Amino acid sequence: MRHSLRIITIALITLLSGSAIDYLTGLETALGLDALFRIRGQRTPPDEIVVVAMDETSEAALGVGQDLTRWRSFHARLIRELQRQGAALIVFDLQFIASHPDHDLDLASTMRAAGNVLVTECVQELRRGVEDFYGREECSESNKKPFVQKDGVQQQPLSEQLIAMRVIGPTPVLAESALDRAPFYLANDAEDPIIREGWTFLDALAETPTLPILTWMHYLQRTGALQDKIHPEPPFSVWLTERRRQCLSAVEKSSISLPAKSGLERLIDEVICLEDKRYLDFYGPAQTLRMESYSDVYEGKVTNLSGKVVFVGKANRKFSPGHIDYFQTPFSDTRSGKMAGVEIMATQFANLLEGRSIASPLPPGLSLMAFGLMIGWLLTEFAGLPGMVASLLAGGIYAGMAVWCFSRSGMWLPVAVPLLLQLPLAWFVASLWSRRDLLNERKRILAFVRRVFPQWLPFVSASPGQWHSKKGAEELTYQRDVSGVCLATDIEGYTAVAARHTAHEMWELLSTYYQVLGHTVSSHDGIIPDVAGDSMIAVWIDLPVAQRLSACLAALEMELAVEQFNATSSTCQLPTRIGLHEGDMTLGRLDAGEGSHYRAIGDTVNTASRIQGVNKFLGTHILASAAVVIGLSNVIYRPVGSFRLVGRNEPIELVEIVGKEAESNMANYAKYEQFASGLKAFRQGLWEDAVVSFQALLNIHGHDGPTSFYLDLALIYRNNPPQEWDGFITLSAK
């Protein structure tokens, strides 16, 4: 009886505390659900879905820039191409609100002839009756006006609190030509910007179905899946609204009950009659769904679109997206970036097509109570450390089961609250209970001593806490001395570039540029402690050989990424120099006034910066101190000489990192060997031999930065040799 009371008490305390914290913070959704997605990883989306992305490549190919209204002239031909290939449905995640007389008639005619085009309506949300807009987009400038005005006072907004929503549809000529239309709404919550749920119906807008539901119903009809089960009458949006209202009316009368159906009929009833939004089962990060470039489809370069449901909308594919119509998902991070709204719409449709969504099989409180009872029983049955170990193992088994259920069918069992709140809290409660038992036992011992051995009483401590002295806590530190590799970058000609652009333009350009650089560093487990203007510092620590290899591979991939960035940039070029050096550093927090900054400090950082500066003399991109490449057999490099860098007395041997072993070229090996021969003669002061060797190298292989640098010096030294030559080159400028 006493054990049962303890088990139930632990279960109730952990249940109530965990539920309260989850209610206040949304811990289970924000942490538990996201963790399940990341542990599960990507899964294969349905083959029937294709996203046609209005991406950067298409912007350049079609010459439309980022102005969505300029795409209108291309949509008619895109629809005809999709019709030619036999696409089942064409869904535009675009809001054709503004009229374009030059293009609307052709587009409307094409949409009417196709008979399978669906378009989006814009949802606009206002608060306080003034220009306070929320929602996925603001629809257009012309629609920014209050819903309600005070009677008799022109243009005087309401002062009282008012929340309202409205739908702004496409221009009439396009709305009448489309097969059907519906809104697609994604809430933009500043406190929690991650999108996890999708609306099925907007009950606040007269039970309006959203576009993914409408697309699903049209697709089921076109594929014959409905057969004789359901007979919706067009337009489907009206039919779905009527069915939804019937369900809500039944709920108000407490008479709703889903008929004993199975399969597709029951799924349709559940979607229409139950919750107005469902958790989305994302298939992975952005671009997990099949995605084709708008310009490629437009020009007929893409095949295998027969029978597909094609979603057309804005989606970046190479660089980080902007702020409008891009959203965080449970998979979003610095590598994957945000997901376009059109991909989220396609994801919701894919979930409906699979008949799958994220849902809990039990009420959350019941799951938490069962977990609390299990942990309470283990901590009571196995007191102390054995109970904690047993409960930890049980928590691990439960977590594994939760991951398996989630991966297999989208079944969502709570994991964050049980493992992060209930389990530690149960340990704490059990410890308090054990201490209470210990104190009671102590009292019984003292009572026994008082009765039987009263002379020993002064030598018995008053409480168990006095039996052992406490050890002093260690002082917290805010820095760490490490040994590792430092990578420093610099943009060539940055001052001239900045002079030609506004500060805001440079901010946008560098934001994209550092996204490219940061991705290569993070993908090779590096740390970026500092970014300032046109330079970045990255470090790799703790693993001597592995950190050298990671830094070198990151530098090579960074060079390639910058080349791709410059090739696609319509603004300007940002050629980048890279320097690497290995040595001791201090990573830590620097306090400046009332602020703190995390930095890497030390001569290693300064030397890496000086090494990257040598690139401009040698005409190279990646230079490193020779120590960085020690023991690396899968990185190709060549020595380029010893230099006394600015501010340093001791010379340092430098190498140029030119590629990976897998990308080796025999012609390059011959060039590097001949360069090494010329460099040897140069360092020995054999100026004529060096000139002959370097000139022959240029005649055979063409331009090479280090060769040209040493040839020029050898020609000078041949006529005017240095008085004291030790084989080292002294640089007088950075």
Side-chain angles (χ1 to χ4, degrees):
M1 179 64 183
R2 186 168 61 90
H3 283 182
S4 299
L5 178 61
R6 183 175 300 189
I7 294 171
I8 295 173
T9 301
I10 292 175
L12 287 175
I13 291 176
T14 58
L15 167 65
L16 296 175
S17 301
S19 299
I21 295 174
D22 184 48
Y23 176 79
L24 295 174
T25 64
L27 177 68
E28 188 59 51
T29 301
L31 189 59
L33 180 59
D34 293 2
L36 288 172
F37 271 115
R38 292 179 179 273
I39 294 172
R40 186 205 70 187
Q42 297 187 27
R43 70 182 188 92
T44 304
D47 186 59
E48 295 88 346
I49 299 166
V50 178
V51 175
V52 173
M54 298 160 65
D55 56 6
E56 309 93 321
T57 302
S58 301
E59 290 175 0
L62 302 178
V64 294
Q66 297 185 3
D67 185 356
L68 293 180
T69 62
R70 297 176 61 185
W71 294 77
R72 186 83 61 93
S73 60
F74 300 96
H75 294 331
R77 177 173 166 181
L78 178 74
I79 294 173
R80 288 192 288 269
E81 175 60 24
L82 292 173
Q83 285 298 112
R84 184 185 67 80
Q85 295 204 38
L89 290 173
I90 305 169
V91 186
F92 278 94
D93 184 30
L94 300 170
Q95 297 152 359
F96 302 105
I97 297 171
S99 178
H100 288 264
D102 294 338
H103 310 298
D104 283 357
L105 292 179
D106 183 31
L107 178 57
S109 175
T110 305
M111 291 168 61
R112 193 180 301 108
N116 65 344
V117 179
L118 293 93
V119 296
T120 309
E121 296 177 315
C122 179
V123 175
Q124 198 177 42
E125 186 175 76
L126 271 158
R127 188 170 63 184
R128 295 190 302 273
V130 295
E131 296 106 13
D132 195 353
F133 289 80
Y134 296 85
R136 192 168 163 217
E137 290 186 18
E138 295 172 350
C139 296
S140 74
E141 294 294 328
S142 61
N143 291 292
K144 286 186 176 181
K145 56 187 178 182
F147 288 125
V148 183
Q149 302 286 348
K150 284 185 177 180
D151 293 335
V153 182
Q154 187 175 4
Q155 298 299 322
Q156 180 64 37
L158 290 173
S159 60
E160 58 265 24
Q161 189 81 353
L162 173 66
I163 298 177
M165 299 175 70
R166 66 179 170 191
V167 170
I168 299 177
T171 181
V173 65
L174 297 179
E176 294 171 2
S177 302
L179 172 64
D180 215 335
R181 64 185 189 275
F184 181 60
Y185 179 77
L186 292 173
N188 193 358
D189 186 355
E191 295 183 359
D192 186 9
I194 299 178
I195 298 295
R196 301 182 181 89
E197 296 176 282
W199 295 90
T200 54
F201 286 83
L202 297 174
D203 291 341
L205 288 171
E207 295 77 43
T208 301
T210 58
L211 193 54
I213 302 298
L214 196 61
T215 304
W216 178 52
M217 292 300 298
H218 278 288
Y219 182 79
L220 293 177
Q221 186 193 49
R222 285 180 173 264
T223 57
L226 294 180
Q227 297 179 354
D228 297 329
K229 300 174 182 177
I230 298 176
H231 303 281
E233 297 180 1
F236 280 14
S237 54
V238 175
W239 180 84
L240 286 167
T241 296
E242 293 175 352
R243 287 290 303 273
R244 176 70 177 175
R245 289 174 178 173
Q246 292 173 5
C247 292
L248 294 181
S249 176
V251 170
E252 292 175 356
K253 298 176 181 178
S254 302
S255 60
I256 185 172
S257 61
L258 295 179
K261 301 177 182 178
S262 60
L264 181 60
E265 289 180 88
R266 182 169 183 84
L267 176 60
I268 293 174
D269 283 344
E270 289 176 351
V271 170
I272 296 175
C273 294
L274 297 182
E275 300 84 5
D276 59 350
K277 57 184 177 180
R278 311 178 103 196
Y279 281 96
L280 299 171
D281 190 355
F282 289 96
Y283 298 91
Q287 302 185 43
T288 299
L289 299 175
R290 179 187 171 188
M291 185 175 290
E292 303 290 351
S293 179
Y294 184 107
S295 58
D296 290 342
V297 178
Y298 178 85
E299 295 168 3
K301 297 179 181 179
V302 179
T303 59
N304 189 25
L305 296 177
S306 177
K308 308 297 184 185
V309 178
V310 179
F311 292 84
V312 184
K314 176 66 178 173
N316 287 5
R317 303 180 66 194
K318 292 185 178 180
F319 303 131
S320 60
H323 298 292
I324 298 177
D325 207 26
Y326 290 91
F327 303 87
Q328 295 186 50
T329 71
F331 285 100
S332 294
D333 55 25
T334 54
R335 301 183 185 182
S336 64
K338 298 180 180 180
M339 181 175 288
V342 66
E343 294 180 82
I344 298 178
M345 179 192 294
T347 297
Q348 187 174 0
F349 169 79
N351 290 171
L352 292 167
L353 203 59
E354 290 184 311
R356 170 172 171 151
S357 64
I358 303 302
S360 177
L362 299 171
L366 187 58
S367 300
L368 299 181
M369 186 64 184
F371 184 85
L373 289 172
M374 176 184 67
I375 297 301
W377 177 80
L378 290 172
L379 291 174
T380 303
E381 191 70 19
F382 307 97
L385 183 61
M388 297 181 68
V389 172
S391 61
L392 187 62
L393 290 175
I397 295 173
Y398 172 83
M401 181 181 67
V403 171
W404 182 83
C405 292
F406 187 85
S407 302
R408 182 178 177 84
S409 60
M411 184 184 299
W412 178 17
L413 294 174
V415 289
V417 172
L419 299 181
L420 300 182
L421 295 179
Q422 284 188 280
L423 187 57
L425 186 58
W427 290 346
F428 177 74
V429 173
S431 298
L432 289 180
W433 211 305
S434 297
R435 182 171 180 81
R436 176 177 173 273
D437 291 342
L438 186 60
L439 290 174
N440 289 335
E441 184 66 21
R442 177 70 177 168
K443 290 178 181 178
R444 287 193 292 271
I445 293 175
L446 289 175
F448 176 79
V449 171
R450 186 176 291 109
R451 291 195 307 270
V452 181
F453 305 105
Q455 68 275 18
W456 290 0
L457 192 61
F459 302 98
V460 180
S461 58
S463 66
Q466 297 176 358
W467 293 353
H468 300 284
S469 61
K470 296 182 180 180
K471 297 181 179 179
E474 295 183 1
E475 183 180 354
L476 294 176
T477 59
Y478 298 99
Q479 66 276 339
R480 177 186 175 194
D481 296 331
V482 299
S483 178
V485 177
C486 177
L487 180 150
T489 73
D490 185 73
I491 299 175
E492 182 180 344
Y494 174 78
T495 302
V497 173
R500 297 194 302 268
H501 296 82
T502 65
H504 184 72
E505 288 173 343
M506 290 304 300
W507 172 265
E508 292 184 340
L509 179 65
L510 290 179
S511 294
T512 306
Y513 168 79
Y514 282 121
Q515 181 80 6
V516 173
L517 266 61
H519 174 74
T520 60
V521 173
S522 60
S523 64
H524 287 281
D525 301 322
I527 303 169
I528 301 177
D530 193 13
V531 173
D534 62 333
S535 63
M536 182 187 77
I537 299 296
V539 296
W540 284 259
I541 59 176
D542 294 337
L543 299 173
V545 177
Q547 69 193 17
R548 296 189 201 122
L549 177 60
S550 296
C552 291
L553 294 179
L556 289 169
E557 292 184 15
M558 190 178 294
E559 179 186 21
L560 179 60
V562 170
E563 289 179 1
Q564 294 174 347
F565 170 83
N566 289 333
T568 56
S569 175
S570 60
T571 306
C572 61
Q573 304 293 295
L574 298 179
T576 301
R577 298 186 292 254
I578 302 171
L580 299 121
H581 187 55
E582 184 178 37
D584 296 331
M585 297 170 283
T586 296
L587 298 178
R589 190 185 77 185
L590 293 177
D591 295 327
E594 296 182 357
S596 297
H597 307 273
Y598 188 73
R599 291 288 187 272
I601 304 296
D603 181 62
T604 300
V605 180
N606 296 332
T607 303
S609 180
R610 295 289 186 267
I611 290 173
Q612 71 79 15
V614 181
N615 283 289
K616 64 183 177 183
F617 298 101
L618 296 183
T620 52
H621 295 288
I622 306 174
L623 291 177
S625 56
V628 171
V629 296
I630 293 177
L632 303 184
S633 59
N634 49 352
V635 172
I636 303 173
Y637 59 89
R638 61 165 167 173
V640 292
S642 294
F643 295 80
R644 288 189 180 93
L645 305 178
V646 177
R648 295 180 63 92
N649 295 323
E650 293 298 323
I652 185 170
E653 189 77 20
L654 299 183
V655 299
E656 179 191 10
I657 299 176
V658 295
K660 303 177 184 177
E661 184 66 29
E663 303 167 353
S664 60
N665 186 313
M666 296 305 298
N668 287 337
Y669 278 123
K671 179 173 72 173
Y672 300 153
E673 289 179 359
Q674 189 169 352
F675 174 81
S677 176
L679 181 61
K680 180 179 180 182
F682 181 90
R683 299 181 69 167
Q684 292 175 350
L686 304 176
W687 313 121
E688 185 61 36
D689 293 346
V691 168
V692 172
S693 181
F694 289 135
Q695 187 62 62
L697 179 59
L698 292 176
N699 293 338
I700 297 173
H701 298 284
H703 175 73
D704 179 63
T707 303
S708 299
F709 172 79
Y710 279 105
L711 176 59
D712 292 341
L713 278 182
L715 289 171
I716 295 172
Y717 291 166
R718 183 179 63 179
N719 300 326
N720 187 19
Q723 294 181 354
E724 296 181 1
W725 176 246
D726 54 8
F728 307 133
I729 297 174
T730 300
L731 297 177
S732 58
K734 298 181 181 178

